[in-house]
Amino acid sequence: MNNKTKFYELLSKAKYDEKSLILVIEKIMPLINSYSFNKKQIDEDLRSELIEYSISLIKSENFADKLANYKKS
């Protein structure tokens, strides 16, 4: 990747650093919350599942690089 943004750097560090992971989760919480609605109320179980899934993705191998190189078709 040629242009490394601050978020990319934070995402790269989040794999090993808990503080960075928390910051990344805080940044994506509006997206998680928007997908957690069920009948106009936040479904806490779904929200928890989405947070857990996000953490597992962030900690997966080369996630920051994969996200940075993703091209919409």
Side-chain angles (χ1 to χ4, degrees):
M1 179 177 173
N2 296 335
N3 187 13
K4 294 184 180 180
T5 63
K6 289 181 183 179
F7 186 71
Y8 171 84
E9 296 293 333
L10 186 63
L11 199 54
S12 295
K13 286 178 23 181
K15 183 174 180 178
Y16 304 105
D17 180 38
E18 291 296 316
K19 191 174 183 180
S20 297
L21 179 62
I22 291 168
L23 290 172
V24 169
I25 295 298
E26 285 177 357
K27 297 278 186 193
I28 64 172
M29 276 310 291
L31 183 62
I32 290 171
N33 286 336
S34 72
Y35 283 102
S36 299
F37 278 93
N38 188 11
K39 298 179 184 176
K40 298 185 181 183
Q41 288 185 317
I42 289 185
D43 182 338
E44 291 297 329
D45 292 333
L46 177 56
R47 185 172 174 246
S48 295
E49 288 288 327
L50 290 172
I51 292 169
E52 282 182 43
Y53 184 69
S54 298
I55 291 170
S56 68
L57 274 178
I58 291 166
K59 290 190 173 257
S60 69
E61 191 67 31
N62 299 324
F63 176 71
D65 291 325
K66 289 176 187 175
L67 186 62
N69 294 326
Y70 177 77
K71 294 186 181 183
K72 250 185 175 177
S73 47

